[in-house]
Amino acid sequence: MNTRIATDVLIIGDGGAGATAAIEASKNEKLVITIATKGHKGKSGATVTGGADLSVDSKTLSERFPWLRGTDPQDSQGLLFEDTVRGGKYLNNQRMVEIQVKEAPERLKDLVDWGVGISEVLHCSGHTYPRGVFIPGIRLVPVLMKKIKEAGVTIVEDTMVTDLLLDDGRIAGAVGLNMRNGDFTIFDAKAVIIAAGGCQRIYPITSAPEELTGDGLAMAYRAGVELMDMEFPMFIPGGFVWPSALLGIVVPYVLSTTGRYGPGHLLNRYGERFMERWAPKTMEHSTRDICSVAMMTEILEGRGSKHGGVYVSLKHLPDNLIDFIHEWQAPEELWKYGGAFDLDDFIPRDSLKREALEAVPASHFFNGGIRISERCETNVAGVFAAGEATAGVHGGNRLSGNAFAEMVVWGTRAGRYAAEYAEKSTKPEIDEKQVERLQRKILQPLEREKGTKPLQVRKTIQDLAWEKVGVVRDGPVLNEAIQRIKAIREKGVGMLYTESKEPVWNREWVEALQIENMLLCLEAIARAALARKESRAAHYRKDFLYTDYLNWTRNIVIKLVDGEMQLRTEPVVVTRLHPPAKVVPYGSESQA
Amino acid sequence: MKKRIRARILRSNLGKARYVEYEVPIEESMSIMNVLNYIYENVDSTIAYYCSCRIGKCRGCLMKINGKVGYACTTPVREDVTLEPVPGREVIRDLVVDLDRKTM
């Protein structure tokens, strides 16, 4: 059965970017605003899972939010701008960074006005001053959901949007699958905002929730929207590989790059503290890119742990300090995970006195994504994007707190400009042929009697991503990966089928629809990684061990042209911080 | 040596729910969510349950575990277990419910 929903602005994703976009767009009372989300309302995506801190310069914080603990008035917006660009290794769009730094305090003010409590500021690695206003996702999301309800925005939940609909080169709407009843859903829209996050799930071990499979990036790409900086997926060096209940989960009291938290020592199977070879001064508290590369090198060169990671040990600490390790090492909301999780059930504290944990760099964030303007427009008329799904603000590596700032600053801007656009636009025509073709594509795995199993193909993609397009890269291996991707597309994706033909909440069916998106994101990462002939930030090439600021301070842009994935480079948008005109060994500046 | 447990799961069946039993190998520090993932990935891919954050934050995997309401991802598993949908909510399928919609 088909369901048709008409709206002025359709927002894909109900996380922080989607929610702030909806709240802002709904200020225009003439417009109908609709959100579609793949999960239960307010119960999916990265926002609710977030630790999380919102970067605002410490000076503005001390002036406008004087009750906050831990601010330092010596900071400035200029310094936050500089740290962000240096952290991103000069690949950031500096006009966008300026906007974000300037508007982040306004967005924090919104959140406080709406009822989000704030009390303390964290000092995270890469930041010269404390700037991370601590707001865990579980505190943020209920407030956003309440505001959305008050604004009269409809949320269509448990609905996976699969593709955009175009009318003569501009947006006309989108189609998707309602998992609750198996209905095909057609959205009629004058403007669409993609706020559906990254593609962390292409890697087998991730700190992100299950549903981040790059749907937003892939549907945009298929509609001709440009992607950028795709070679920079970010890894966090403390996702546990054991025990299985904690797979990919980050346990901040053991290993963290946040300020003084995380006293764990990283050891290889010979008991060596290998960070000495990479960053003898900052050791385990080096930035996340360096720690991840170091850990992965140990694993790939056969010095890893029993379950495929490296060891994280607290044995250098006295027992009666470990007794209080959770409480003393991180804010309660981080280790209690909102009260629902008792870590002692899975890692008994006493065991930390005897045994090391096992961790890997876990897939954590997408620095790259949809290429947007300062008004959140893409190159396709009526398609807007915001939040983690976009590229520009972070460049090659994101500083802690800047994902939250990106989410609320660009979510709000996307809502504002998409509403402006929708108000001026006429209603586009839905092309029924396009709809039929996409409906057939969605139904295929359910109708096919035999073929390849979505779970197996997903695992193949994840293993390939981890082994050949992961933290440590190498030209010939990337080439091999691109050939494998082609083979998977031909043999695997075209033949997907589901064992169960039940249309209601069929996990395998959704999995099948996600696979095309995951494979596309993996291909974009692999091709961009192969093209970038240097090592920089979150992109590390074994065959190019230097950062080439002279020739490679450029962004790689990816676009679908005549059925082919086409790559080109564009100069970075620079306003006032110029990259050093030199070639330097990878990671050498992190020691400064 | 892996221990094996039995997981009894109340599944929808054309509107008439019935219990289906699965045997699952467990190791130390596994959660109910790990059990469900094991069944989905290795035994029966038709099973329906909600999984997003895996760490007790999104609160989407609320269900009845051995008679008590709890989250699948934060509840450790050590023995045989019975899983049922949250009582008082409209069942979408198997263990997935509409958390907003209460049944009379």
Side-chain angles (χ1 to χ4, degrees):
Chain A
M1 226 181 72
N2 286 357
T3 310
R4 256 196 140 99
I5 297 171
T7 183
D8 291 299
V9 181
L10 171 67
I11 299 165
I12 303 167
D14 76 338
T20 49
I23 294 163
E24 182 71 15
S26 68
K27 287 180 182 166
N28 184 332
E29 285 171 2
K30 282 176 278 184
L31 299 177
V32 178
I33 316 295
T34 307
I35 296 179
T37 174
K38 192 155 71 163
H40 290 348
K41 179 170 61 190
K43 290 184 163 51
S44 69
T47 307
V48 70
T49 316
D53 56 313
L54 165 55
S55 274
V56 176
D57 71 283
S58 220
K59 182 181 170 61
T60 309
L61 286 177
S62 65
E63 287 166 3
R64 294 188 56 186
F65 310 92
W67 67 90
L68 278 172
R69 286 193 307 272
T71 58
D72 187 334
Q74 293 192 70
D75 194 12
S76 70
Q77 294 195 351
L79 285 171
L80 172 54
F81 167 88
E82 285 175 24
D83 284 349
T84 299
V85 174
R86 289 208 176 93
K89 297 287 178 268
Y90 300 91
L91 290 174
N92 325 55
N93 177 322
Q94 294 188 15
R95 267 207 304 273
M96 286 176 69
V97 179
E98 282 176 358
I99 289 169
Q100 180 164 310
V101 164
K102 190 163 156 267
E103 293 184 5
E106 307 305 317
R107 300 292 78 84
L108 177 59
K109 174 78 171 46
D110 288 347
L111 297 182
V112 171
D113 288 349
W114 299 342
V116 174
I118 54 171
S119 59
E120 64 182 311
V121 179
L122 307 175
H123 190 172
C124 305
S125 68
H127 286 283
T128 311
Y129 288 97
R131 294 166 180 147
V133 181
F134 183 60
I135 305 175
I138 48 167
R139 209 191 282 165
L140 173 70
V141 168
V143 174
L144 294 177
M145 288 299 129
K146 187 166 163 269
K147 281 296 290 183
I148 287 174
K149 202 173 175 187
E150 286 167 10
V153 173
T154 310
I155 301 186
V156 181
E157 54 187 329
D158 300 320
T159 296
M160 177 186 179
V161 175
T162 58
D163 274 287
L164 300 175
L165 293 167
L166 297 181
D167 171 22
D168 198 19
R170 69 165 178 145
I171 195 72
V175 298
L177 170 69
N178 182 340
M179 294 153 65
R180 286 193 173 197
N181 50 22
D183 279 2
F184 185 69
T185 309
I186 304 149
F187 296 92
D188 244 290
K190 291 177 187 167
V192 171
I193 301 172
I194 299 175
C199 190
Q200 286 88 326
R201 280 301 279 183
I202 49 163
Y203 295 103
I205 299 172
T206 172
S207 61
E210 292 283 304
E211 58 279 352
L212 290 181
T213 51
D215 308 338
L217 308 184
M219 74 177 78
Y221 171 83
R222 285 193 291 268
V225 171
E226 292 174 343
L227 308 180
M228 190 173 87
D229 295 340
M230 287 298 286
E231 66 273 36
F232 295 106
M234 180 181 178
F235 291 80
I236 189 159
F240 287 97
V241 69
W242 177 260
S244 44
L246 298 179
L247 189 71
I249 300 302
V250 177
V251 183
Y253 62 85
V254 181
L255 189 68
S256 167
T257 53
T258 305
R260 61 173 182 262
Y261 301 132
H265 285 178
L266 289 170
L267 306 175
N268 64 17
R269 70 167 59 166
Y270 302 110
E272 294 164 330
R273 235 179 125 189
F274 55 85
M275 282 309 294
E276 270 163 15
R277 291 202 296 276
W278 294 82
K281 279 189 208 149
T282 44
M283 298 295 284
E284 287 85 359
H285 284 225
S286 309
T287 49
R288 300 185 268 201
D289 43 356
I290 304 294
C291 290
S292 296
V293 169
M295 287 166 84
M296 204 58 208
T297 302
E298 295 302 310
I299 295 164
L300 289 174
E301 292 181 359
R303 298 186 292 276
S305 70
K306 190 178 164 205
H307 296 96
V310 295
Y311 294 100
V312 185
S313 169
L314 291 172
K315 270 206 85 163
H316 56 288
L317 300 174
D319 284 4
N320 58 348
L321 197 157
I322 293 178
D323 286 335
F324 298 98
I325 193 84
H326 301 6
E327 291 87 335
W328 289 355
Q329 285 298 322
E332 184 171 308
E333 275 155 308
L334 277 183
W335 59 267
K336 271 203 172 165
Y337 294 97
F341 211 27
D342 187 349
L343 273 162
D344 275 321
D345 279 342
F346 299 98
I347 316 176
R349 266 177 236 217
D350 275 348
S351 75
L352 295 170
K353 296 170 184 169
R354 300 183 302 271
E355 288 164 31
L357 291 158
E358 292 181 52
V360 292
S363 165
H364 185 57
F365 184 80
F366 264 52
N367 290 310
I370 297 168
R371 188 175 187 228
I372 56 168
S373 72
E374 288 114 81
R375 295 165 59 89
C376 299
E377 303 145 319
T378 67
N379 57 309
V380 173
V383 180
F384 296 76
E388 187 180 354
T390 67
V393 166
H394 310 298
N397 186 44
R398 172 175 70 76
L399 296 190
S400 186
N402 276 353
F404 200 142
E406 174 186 42
M407 171 175 100
V408 289
V409 166
W410 301 94
T412 302
R413 288 177 79 86
R416 184 182 312 146
Y417 299 120
E420 259 177 33
Y421 176 91
E423 196 181 359
K424 286 185 301 196
S425 302
T426 51
K427 197 173 141 29
E429 280 293 316
I430 297 270
D431 172 6
E432 297 301 332
K433 278 210 185 88
Q434 255 182 76
V435 172
E436 265 170 50
R437 184 175 55 78
L438 292 168
Q439 183 169 18
R440 271 202 306 278
K441 192 175 105 179
I442 288 179
L443 284 171
Q444 266 172 5
L446 202 66
E447 289 171 349
R448 206 171 268 130
E449 285 304 323
K450 53 177 183 242
T452 47
K453 283 178 75 87
L455 259 161
Q456 278 164 3
V457 181
R458 193 240 290 165
K459 280 197 168 10
T460 308
I461 293 173
Q462 289 176 327
D463 290 344
L464 178 64
W466 181 242
E467 285 159 20
K468 300 193 190 312
V469 199
V471 178
V472 175
R473 292 142 184 203
D474 189 17
V477 178
L478 287 168
N479 258 318
E480 208 186 304
I482 291 166
Q483 295 311 313
R484 287 276 309 281
I485 290 165
K486 228 181 262 173
I488 295 170
R489 178 164 298 123
E490 282 157 16
K491 295 202 189 89
V493 178
M495 290 301 290
L496 289 168
Y497 88 109
T498 62
E499 205 167 302
S500 162
K501 301 304 175 192
E502 166 66 53
V504 177
W505 211 277
N506 185 330
R507 290 181 68 91
E508 252 191 324
W509 191 9
V510 174
E511 193 111 53
L513 299 176
Q514 291 169 344
I515 279 170
E516 186 189 350
N517 300 339
M518 293 170 79
L519 196 65
L520 200 146
C521 289
L522 180 61
E523 184 176 359
I525 298 166
R527 287 190 186 275
L530 181 65
R532 183 171 287 282
K533 292 185 172 46
E534 63 161 355
S535 289
R536 187 189 302 227
H539 168 71
Y540 176 77
R541 284 275 297 258
K542 252 167 80 180
D543 47 349
F544 295 99
L545 289 171
Y546 47 82
T547 302
D548 182 355
Y549 287 113
L550 276 175
N551 298 299
W552 268 108
T553 303
R554 299 179 72 81
N555 299 112
I556 297 177
V557 176
I558 294 180
K559 191 182 177 185
L560 178 67
V561 182
D562 300 328
E564 294 289 320
M565 187 175 276
Q566 208 176 76
L567 272 69
R568 69 171 197 273
T569 68
E570 289 281 342
V572 174
V573 177
V574 175
T575 56
R576 58 194 176 85
L577 197 60
H578 291 271
K582 58 182 181 183
V583 179
V584 298
Y586 175 73
S588 56
E589 302 128 295
S590 308
Q591 285 300 297
Chain B
M1 251 254 309
K2 276 187 181 174
K3 183 178 166 180
R4 300 184 82 83
I5 60 143
R6 274 174 309 178
R8 272 177 87 224
I9 300 178
L10 187 59
R11 298 196 56 184
S12 325
N13 180 29
L14 302 170
K16 203 169 172 252
R18 68 193 161 100
Y19 288 94
V20 180
E21 211 170 272
Y22 301 93
E23 209 180 67
V24 178
I26 63 159
E27 44 203 19
E28 54 177 321
S29 294
M30 260 176 73
S31 66
I32 298 291
M33 187 59 82
N34 292 137
V35 169
L36 289 168
N37 285 339
Y38 179 88
I39 295 168
Y40 168 61
E41 293 183 6
N42 301 287
V43 187
D44 184 350
S45 60
T46 68
I47 190 166
Y49 58 101
Y50 189 87
C51 173
S52 172
C53 81
R54 303 167 287 136
I55 195 163
K57 290 189 182 182
C58 76
R59 308 194 163 201
C61 64
L62 200 66
M63 60 183 67
K64 211 163 139 190
I65 302 163
N66 288 335
K68 271 174 67 182
V69 172
Y71 298 106
C73 69
T74 63
T75 307
V77 58
R78 293 186 181 105
E79 304 293 336
D80 292 351
V81 66
T82 300
L83 305 176
E84 296 159 323
V86 190
R89 298 290 194 283
E90 202 177 287
V91 176
I92 295 172
R93 199 158 84 83
D94 296 346
L95 299 171
V96 185
V97 299
D98 185 338
L99 288 167
D100 289 341
R101 203 164 302 170
K102 292 187 183 168
T103 51
M104 284 300 143

